[in-house]
Amino acid sequence: MQTVWLSGAEWLAVLRIGLGLWWLESWRHKDRKGWFERGTGIAWAADVAGKHRWSFVKGGFEKVVQPRPKLMAYVVVYAELALGLGLVLGFLTPVALIGGLLLNLLYLVLMIHDWAEQGQNAMMALISLVALLAMSWQTWSLDASIGLFL
């Protein structure tokens, strides 16, 4: 593989780190007080799920998320932080990439009507898949430094 400036593995690390920074920005700009104290994030998602054209989305939300809104708020917010840190640092990278891919797919399905969000979720899912299949943790990662996932 020929590349410019960096090696192919280094460019994949740049892609992985960029994705991690994207997740960290997602976490940083969240109104955590609103999510944790007022339940704004889960209430918004409940409204979206309640109007969803696919009944399994509404049913799944009512069974999994709605009974435990405070817990799910913490899960969503801190999952984004964990994904960002894992990808930027390259720690447990395959786990972070799979987790991010699944979270983006969940967001994609939940917000199927919101075309503005779909581009972001589709691109983040694609980057996760490419970074996973190309084993982007081989360079510039804690995983490589300690010999994980070789």
Side-chain angles (χ1 to χ4, degrees):
M1 170 191 293
Q2 290 184 330
T3 63
V4 176
W5 192 38
L6 300 173
S7 72
E10 289 169 337
W11 280 120
L12 288 167
V14 168
L15 189 65
R16 181 199 81 229
I17 292 165
L19 179 62
L21 292 171
W22 201 342
W23 279 115
L24 287 174
E25 176 56 20
S26 234
W27 174 80
R28 187 196 66 79
H29 84 262
K30 275 210 176 13
D31 174 10
R32 286 181 286 286
K33 191 171 188 172
W35 272 73
F36 300 150
E37 294 177 17
R38 297 186 311 275
T40 57
I42 299 302
W44 171 81
D47 183 56
V48 172
K51 299 174 188 171
H52 208 282
R53 71 174 114 178
W54 298 332
S55 60
F56 75 89
V57 172
K58 180 181 179 185
F61 192 92
E62 288 173 350
K63 287 179 185 159
V64 177
V65 179
Q66 213 156 345
R68 41 190 89 72
K70 196 165 208 73
L71 172 65
M72 296 310 290
Y74 279 93
V75 167
V76 169
V77 171
Y78 287 109
E80 290 182 357
L81 175 62
L83 291 169
L85 291 173
L87 294 172
V88 168
L89 299 173
F91 183 64
L92 300 176
T93 312
V95 175
L97 288 167
I98 291 168
L101 177 61
L102 293 175
L103 192 55
N104 279 125
L105 292 176
L106 281 171
Y107 289 170
L108 194 74
V109 169
L110 178 64
M111 297 180 281
I112 199 73
H113 306 300
D114 187 347
W115 290 105
E117 286 289 324
Q118 296 305 30
Q120 172 179 313
N121 289 306
M123 288 302 98
M124 289 176 80
L126 177 62
I127 293 167
S128 292
L129 186 62
V130 168
L132 178 67
L133 296 177
M135 298 171 49
S136 65
W137 54 89
Q138 296 176 73
T139 301
W140 300 342
S141 74
L142 292 174
D143 290 340
S145 296
I146 59 178
L148 284 177
F149 310 112
L150 297 178

